[in-house]
Amino acid sequence: MPNTYQKIPLPVIKRLPRYYRHIVALHQNGVETISSKMLAARLGTTASQVRQDFNCFGGFGLQGVGYNVQLLVRELEKLLFSGGELSAVLIGAGRLGRTMAHFLDVQAKGFKLVAAFDHDPEVIGRLLGNVPVQHVENLVEFCKEHTPQIAMLCIPEKSAADLAPLLPELGITGVWNFSNYDLSANLTGIAVENVHIGDSLQSLGYRVHSPAE
Amino acid sequence: MPNTYQKIPLPVIKRLPRYYRHIVALHQNGVETISSKMLAARLGTTASQVRQDFNCFGGFGLQGVGYNVQLLVRELEKLLFSGGELSAVLIGAGRLGRTMAHFLDVQAKGFKLVAAFDHDPEVIGRLLGNVPVQHVENLVEFCKEHTPQIAMLCIPEKSAADLAPLLPELGITGVWNFSNYDLSANLTGIAVENVHIGDSLQSLGYRVHSPAE
């Protein structure tokens, strides 16, 4: 289904989950229709931005009468979740890795954790759900055999830099990257989401110290 | 120090930690000077963007000879870390909350966890470092007495929506928000960083399913 729409700009794709969250909340509150203007106000953006974004996917409704909220929920779910479950491997099963693997496997929709890897003997053998942490030396063979689509990187910057050139060979097509290493620039044909938790905290600290912004 | 610079645009502030990470890496690799062009290439941006951003803080050096990397490290550290330690409270000490509190307290620079709150009897009394999780009914009194600056929200959307209007009264000046609730639109005078982990995973899933982008 999503393949119908070629070349959706990346910023639009990144905004889809936020639209979805807000529209689900509206639906749960019993709202039946909403104008692009009201939706934009709720999201802190402009009506023209909302319309442009939705037009990338065919528009989701008639102008002038507002969007049908239930229809929007359905269309966004088709876009976000109709592609089938994606299998994911965790690389780096420390504290952050285990928490994020749990999030992906249990709280998120459309993803399944199929393996976890680390090199720390303290962590190897530990269960994440029913997935035991394996030694990272098994990673290549596992990927060859099971062709997981997503790699979650929860490893130090240096290890991520070393691993990056191997990812295409492993057949990985999406990386959820929590390492400090910026993956995006160097990988072609692989979708990357860098989640730099430390960056958000540092910029928060800056803003608290200098509230003039 | 940061107060010298009035009205730095928010997107520039949000890019500072990323500049800092890359410049520290360059410094560690023995690079002594770098042009805005080379730095931009590394960051996947443009030289003019780099120069514009740095000019917000006085420019960090002379044009034409490249930036002195060691000086850049020092200047960015002054901006990001010279404001003194910020005290933080965790609200919601579930799995994600505990992991993020550990990150803030142990891995990040410039922050200290001073209290943690939850309403789950299974979690209350548990130690995060040497901070015991308290019942959330103590939150208001704690904030009155200890005036923490940062609140980390790791609670469900509905609870975050209920809590939001109380934050100014609690004296909180910065929120590191992991809940699904979008805080930014409604709070004035409080810096907010929304870290919607689920959003990044959803848009990654979309991109893996429709690689035409």
Side-chain angles (χ1 to χ4, degrees):
Chain A
M1 169 69 182
N3 281 313
T4 324
Y5 311 106
Q6 301 288 307
K7 299 212 185 243
I8 310 290
L10 186 53
V12 179
I13 295 172
K14 286 185 182 267
R15 284 193 287 270
L16 277 182
R18 187 154 177 263
Y19 282 121
Y20 177 64
R21 274 193 288 114
H22 280 268
I23 288 157
V24 166
L26 288 167
H27 186 51
Q28 284 169 348
N29 290 332
V31 177
E32 292 181 2
T33 60
I34 191 162
S35 65
S36 49
K37 195 174 157 189
M38 292 292 287
L39 185 56
R42 194 184 154 111
L43 287 149
T45 180
T46 64
S48 110
Q49 168 94 84
V50 169
R51 285 193 300 263
Q52 268 182 44
D53 285 356
F54 287 2
N55 280 338
C56 293
F57 306 97
F60 299 147
L62 298 169
Q63 283 207 13
V65 298
Y67 296 105
N68 178 312
V69 172
Q70 190 169 13
L71 182 95
L72 272 183
V73 170
R74 222 160 42 214
E75 291 294 325
L76 287 169
E77 288 189 342
K78 259 196 263 175
L79 286 171
L80 290 168
F81 307 120
S82 71
E85 198 169 63
L86 294 168
S87 58
V89 297
L90 169 65
I91 305 173
R95 188 189 298 255
L96 183 69
R98 295 194 301 270
T99 298
M100 293 309 152
H102 179 85
F103 181 91
L104 171 141
D105 201 38
V106 177
Q107 292 178 262
K109 205 166 160 177
F111 297 87
K112 187 175 171 54
L113 182 72
V114 295
F117 301 90
D118 207 299
H119 59 64
D120 180 356
E122 298 257 328
V123 174
I124 292 167
R126 222 170 140 155
L127 283 175
L128 307 184
N130 50 17
V131 169
V133 179
Q134 310 178 43
H135 197 287
V136 72
E137 68 189 11
N138 301 337
L139 174 65
V140 174
E141 209 185 305
F142 181 91
C143 290
K144 221 175 272 178
E145 194 171 335
H146 299 277
T147 61
Q149 290 128 317
I150 306 285
M152 306 174 54
L153 301 193
C154 298
I155 51 184
E157 186 164 3
K158 172 75 174 67
S159 314
D162 291 345
L163 181 65
L166 295 176
L167 291 168
E169 291 173 47
L170 297 178
I172 294 297
T173 50
V175 181
W176 201 26
N177 175 36
F178 289 86
S179 84
N180 262 340
Y181 184 70
D182 271 322
L183 270 175
S184 26
N186 308 313
L187 295 171
T188 48
I190 299 185
V192 172
E193 280 287 326
N194 291 308
V195 187
H196 294 305
I197 288 167
D199 285 12
S200 75
L201 186 58
Q202 275 181 9
S203 63
L204 181 65
Y206 178 91
R207 293 163 65 197
V208 168
H209 282 306
S210 49
E213 71 180 62
Chain B
M1 170 71 179
N3 280 313
T4 325
Y5 311 105
Q6 302 288 308
K7 300 216 186 241
I8 311 287
L10 187 54
V12 179
I13 295 171
K14 286 184 182 267
R15 285 193 287 270
L16 277 182
R18 187 154 176 263
Y19 283 120
Y20 177 64
R21 272 192 290 114
H22 282 268
I23 287 158
V24 166
L26 288 168
H27 186 51
Q28 285 168 348
N29 290 332
V31 177
E32 291 181 3
T33 60
I34 191 162
S35 65
S36 49
K37 196 175 156 188
M38 291 293 288
L39 185 55
R42 193 185 156 110
L43 287 149
T45 179
T46 64
S48 111
Q49 167 95 85
V50 170
R51 284 193 300 265
Q52 268 181 43
D53 286 356
F54 286 3
N55 281 337
C56 293
F57 305 97
F60 298 146
L62 298 169
Q63 281 207 13
V65 298
Y67 296 105
N68 177 312
V69 172
Q70 190 169 13
L71 182 96
L72 272 183
V73 170
R74 223 159 42 214
E75 291 295 325
L76 288 169
E77 288 189 343
K78 259 196 261 176
L79 287 171
L80 289 169
F81 306 121
S82 71
E85 198 170 64
L86 295 168
S87 58
V89 297
L90 169 64
I91 305 173
R95 188 188 300 253
L96 183 69
R98 295 195 301 270
T99 297
M100 292 308 152
H102 180 84
F103 181 91
L104 172 140
D105 202 37
V106 177
Q107 292 178 262
K109 205 165 159 177
F111 297 86
K112 188 177 171 53
L113 182 71
V114 294
F117 301 91
D118 207 299
H119 60 65
D120 180 356
E122 298 258 328
V123 174
I124 292 167
R126 221 170 141 155
L127 283 176
L128 306 184
N130 50 18
V131 170
V133 179
Q134 309 179 44
H135 197 288
V136 72
E137 69 189 12
N138 300 338
L139 175 65
V140 174
E141 209 185 306
F142 181 91
C143 290
K144 221 175 271 177
E145 195 171 335
H146 299 277
T147 60
Q149 290 129 317
I150 306 284
M152 305 174 56
L153 301 194
C154 298
I155 49 183
E157 185 164 3
K158 173 77 174 67
S159 313
D162 292 344
L163 181 65
L166 295 177
L167 291 168
E169 290 174 47
L170 296 179
I172 295 298
T173 51
V175 182
W176 201 26
N177 176 36
F178 288 86
S179 84
N180 262 340
Y181 183 69
D182 271 322
L183 270 175
S184 27
N186 308 314
L187 294 171
T188 48
I190 298 184
V192 173
E193 281 287 327
N194 291 307
V195 187
H196 294 305
I197 288 168
D199 285 11
S200 74
L201 186 58
Q202 274 181 10
S203 62
L204 181 65
Y206 178 90
R207 293 162 65 196
V208 168
H209 282 307
S210 49
E213 75 184 52

